[in-house]
């Protein structure tokens, strides 16, 4: 739950309440179905099922916060991404760019009894953008300063950053995905634990009203239900050794040389890609801890390189503020500090930003921007796309 | 294009312009893909592709009407139905009711530069309704009279009616699907022409602004591009003979005994069901014309029976006004007149209603109701469902 006051871009954004709900195991199982095994009936059903669940989570969060549904002006729901194809795919005679999230806004609005903004990425794709990243406008409003030039770094499955020069105007913000966040490390740990896993973005957080806005999860949290499915605090990596061949192979991936703005995803650095690397290392008799160490090294290196190569030539960087699951991996945080010796690297909590609530708060804020009629796709606009109002509005009667 | 004036439910609805665009052949081919052969990638792509096409059709229609996009307040787009499962389907541990239309409203809004209302059926399903029929509120506003009790009958693939007693209040309207419209006749003609066909609803009509609202097609018109894919004006049926066994079998279908409100679809009376009947008749050495005659007879009988069994016990019927493709089949119209000897049965054009524009006009009007905040799901409400605002709103920046 966030409360938004004052006017754009000088909004004050106050997090009133935040909570993360895990999908029930049977829903996780449905979402783990490889896309190839998903029928149109499944897709249609998931759209409504997740809409129902998100409404239930929203109402539960509102109750836990000691509020009433009437206190909430709007829900912002990202939905569960099934596909994100901004690069386009041939369909008949056209190449069609698309993105596809399920979790029907119409269902959420009716079941929760609260106006709902959903489907944030489609309008940006239609406007010529990549449909991502969308959070930079939130980073900008939250972190811009008259004294410091800041980089907001979010390490989820994929890592992305928003660089905000001191006294920046909106158009001066630099934002892009740096590459893998936790996705490679997680994949290695899961696979080696014999646990085959499909994909999944960050999130699953339902949060925040109060004359205010509630946000519904960006995706499933496949990691937070007990099973060892990630390298907690880098414990494995810490006792492993680096596989230089693997590091070299990944750093040669053309994504890292591409100039921003640019976005990537699990499609590029997720299970399939990581599989191949793991097989290579297994052939070289590397242990799981070596793999965890190697992927942690790669993640730290690609993030630090991105800041060195694409941010520092454009602006001073007075501090890097890290959020997302990766910010709780002290091994990874240590690597970043070592690779960026001149820049203070700190976790979001040090700035009063609750990592668990950030994505949720961002989409609640994006709902506010949609209702205010403010085009929030600033990264795409910087790259030459049209302004777009992100999200469609569904309302209860 | 329709212009809506005065206030609900006394709106004056004026059709300014209407046109039907056929999908290009390669798009038809994509939509003919059986659902089993459709991947999630295809679904995501179709959502964006059809959104682009609908925007193009809308702009073309606006230009043909001699208007500018700025003259249009809103587009109402039904989208292309891929699935309609109001009866529910087991998904994991829940039975999930859903409906699924593609043709992204976000894409239409951006590409046409016009506010777009889309996804009309989801909210009704969420509210506990069947997601259909949605047109009765339009029939009501268009046809209610202080002097006559009227039945608005629309014969598309499926036939449905709205019965509006003289001086009716909204809650007194009776509306339901009577059963097969043209779907059986069309299927027989297509199959026997060696042309295997998947499904497809009525429509494909893009139409109408003028300080007003434009509507985008309910679905593909698979029939209107030259190939013999329907029984034009009942020419085949007229020279065929009735297969009594088949008539008896269909009339015994439990749908016809069920009390309204009730809805059906191609799932129940479409290709698969008709296939079985055709095979039975083929085994009895029936010709295509016999089949066309038999299915025309069945269509006429089930519509007339529905009026006798479920409408006349509740109200006088002073006239039946027929729209949809079936209204242009004089063989079928003759059967209806014969089976309803006491009631004038007339085509919509006699009342100034353009059959081709009706569905389009109805969804443009539903967009108006959404924007006015009026719950338009009157049939579901009559059956005990919650009121619902139908449609989600996407806007260009």
């Amino acid at each position: 739950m966030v409360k938004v006051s004052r006017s754009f871009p000088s909004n004050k954004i106050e997090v009133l309440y935040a909570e993360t709900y895990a999908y029930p195991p049977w829903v996780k199982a449905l979402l783990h179905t490889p896309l190839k095994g998903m029928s149109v009936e499944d897709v249609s059903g998931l759209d409504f099922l997740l809409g129902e669940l998100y409404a239930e989570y929203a109402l539960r969060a509102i109750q836990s916060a000691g509020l009433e549904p009437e206190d909430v002006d709007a829900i912002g729901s990202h939905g569960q991404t099934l596909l994100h194809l901004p690069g386009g795919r041939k369909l008949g005679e056209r190449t069609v760019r698309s993105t596809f999230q399920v979790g029907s806004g119409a269902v959420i609005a009716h079941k929760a009894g609260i106006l709902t903004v959903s489907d944030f990425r489609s309008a940006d794709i239609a406007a010529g953008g990549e449909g991502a990243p969308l959070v930079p406008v939130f980073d900008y409003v939250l972190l811009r300063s008259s004294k410091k030039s800041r980089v907001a770094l979010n390490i989820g499955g994929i890592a992305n950053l928003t660089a905000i020069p001191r006294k920046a105007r909106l158009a001066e913000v630099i934002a892009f995905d740096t590459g893998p966040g936790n996705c490679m490390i997680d994949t290695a740990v899961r696979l080696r634990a014999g646990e085959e896993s499909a994909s999944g973005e960050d999130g699953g957080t339902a949060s925040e009203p109060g004359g205010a806005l509630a946000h519904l999860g960006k995706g499933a949290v496949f990691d937070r239900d007990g099973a060892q499915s990630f390298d907690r605090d880098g414990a494995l990596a810490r006792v492993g050794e680096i596989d230089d061949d693997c590091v070299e192979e990944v750093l040669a991936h053309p994504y890292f040389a591409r100039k921003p703005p640019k976005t990537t995803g699990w499609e590029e650095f997720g299970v399939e890609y990581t599989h191949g690397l793991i097989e290579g290392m297994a052939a070289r008799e590397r242990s799981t801890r070596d793999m965890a160490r190697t992927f942690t090294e790669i993640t730290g290196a690609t993030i630090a390189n991105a800041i060195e190569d694409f941010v520092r030539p454009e602006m001073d960087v007075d501090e890097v503020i890290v959020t997302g699951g990766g910010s709780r991996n002290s091994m990874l945080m240590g690597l970043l500090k070592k690779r960026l010796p001149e820049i203070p690297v700190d976790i979001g909590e040090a700035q009063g930003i609750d990592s668990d609530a950030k994505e949720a708060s961002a989409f609640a804020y994006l709902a506010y921007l949609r209702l205010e009629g403010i085009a929030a796709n600033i990264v795409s606009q910087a790259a030459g796309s049209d302004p777009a109002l992100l999200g469609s509005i569904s309302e209860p009667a």
Side-chain angles (χ1 to χ4, degrees), chain A:
Chain A
M1 247 93 65
V2 297
K3 182 170 184 167
V4 180
S5 52
R6 299 211 295 260
S7 61
F8 179 82
S10 304
N11 294 121
K12 187 171 163 246
I13 302 167
E14 193 184 342
V15 177
L16 303 178
Y17 183 80
E19 196 168 333
T20 299
Y21 300 98
Y23 287 129
W26 63 271
V27 176
K28 282 186 209 179
L30 288 171
L31 292 171
H32 274 80
T33 312
L35 286 188
K36 274 179 215 157
M38 235 182 236
S39 67
V40 180
E41 284 87 349
D42 293 335
V43 169
S44 178
L46 276 175
D47 192 33
F48 276 65
L49 170 65
L50 296 185
E52 287 173 16
L53 288 175
Y54 295 160
E56 291 164 20
Y57 297 155
L59 292 174
R60 213 193 295 171
I62 289 165
Q63 191 174 32
S64 301
L67 294 165
E68 302 289 334
E70 302 80 69
D71 298 327
V72 181
D73 294 320
I75 288 171
S77 176
H78 177 278
Q80 175 75 41
T81 296
L82 292 189
L83 267 182
H84 189 64
L85 300 169
R89 176 175 173 269
K90 190 87 184 165
L91 191 66
E93 295 182 6
R94 293 196 190 183
T95 297
V96 180
R97 304 167 66 248
S98 74
T99 186
F100 190 40
Q101 282 79 35
V102 286
S104 163
V107 173
I108 299 169
H110 184 83
K111 300 281 183 191
I114 296 169
L115 181 150
T116 299
V117 182
S118 62
D119 189 21
F120 289 93
R121 301 198 188 274
S122 291
D124 185 45
I125 297 265
E130 302 268 309
L134 302 184
V135 173
V137 67
F138 177 73
D139 287 329
Y140 171 77
V141 170
L142 208 65
L143 293 174
R144 104 205 135 92
S145 151
S146 57
K147 292 177 190 139
K148 287 186 174 174
S149 293
R150 288 167 163 163
V151 169
L153 171 67
N154 186 70
I155 309 177
I158 295 295
N160 58 72
L161 65 77
T162 306
I164 309 149
R166 181 172 2 101
K167 296 181 180 169
R169 283 174 295 111
L170 201 47
E172 291 167 335
V173 168
I174 300 168
F176 61 97
D177 291 342
T178 62
N182 307 309
C183 63
M184 288 182 157
I185 308 169
D186 290 358
T187 300
V189 173
R190 276 183 211 150
L191 283 180
R192 301 286 289 192
E195 242 192 290
E196 203 82 14
S197 159
S199 98
E201 289 191 50
D202 249 23
T205 306
S207 31
E208 63 247 69
L213 301 138
H215 166 85
L216 293 175
K218 195 179 163 203
V221 183
F222 292 120
D223 323 337
R224 296 178 191 174
D225 55 332
Q228 168 78 353
S229 55
F230 64 106
D231 184 15
R232 190 179 298 276
D233 202 24
L236 283 172
R238 212 177 296 273
V239 292
E241 282 178 19
I242 297 173
D243 184 279
D244 291 321
D245 289 355
C246 179
V247 174
E248 199 177 319
E249 182 182 343
V250 177
L251 294 188
H253 190 293
Y255 182 77
F256 303 110
R258 265 179 58 200
K259 285 197 172 174
K262 59 181 179 177
T263 60
T264 184
W266 282 81
E267 301 79 36
E268 201 157 22
F269 290 110
V271 178
E272 204 176 330
Y273 181 71
T274 308
H275 247 276
L277 300 168
I278 288 172
E279 278 172 17
M281 284 195 276
R284 293 190 291 278
E285 297 187 351
R286 291 296 190 179
S287 64
T288 302
R289 56 187 61 173
D290 293 345
M291 295 180 192
R293 173 63 190 268
T294 303
F295 289 134
T296 305
E297 197 69 28
I298 288 169
T299 302
T302 54
I303 291 171
N305 291 349
I307 292 172
E308 289 296 350
D309 296 347
F310 302 121
V311 179
R312 295 188 79 184
E314 305 293 328
M315 62 183 258
D316 295 333
V317 178
D318 295 318
E319 58 187 353
V320 177
I321 299 160
V322 191
T323 54
S327 70
R328 281 188 293 272
N329 181 336
S330 63
M331 172 81 194
L332 179 57
M333 288 294 288
L335 281 175
L336 284 173
K337 285 175 184 170
K338 206 172 114 195
R339 286 181 171 268
L340 298 165
E342 300 155 33
I343 308 171
V345 176
D346 221 334
I347 57 170
E349 277 71 9
Q351 299 284 337
I353 298 167
D354 176 355
S355 245
D356 286 334
K358 196 194 162 194
E359 285 281 306
S361 307
F363 281 93
Y365 181 65
L366 285 170
Y368 155 84
L369 292 178
R370 170 66 181 87
L371 295 172
E372 289 287 299
I374 295 162
N377 63 333
I378 60 167
V379 175
S380 305
Q381 288 180 52
S385 296
D386 296 335
L389 294 188
L390 307 179
S392 296
I393 300 171
S394 304
E395 275 176 273

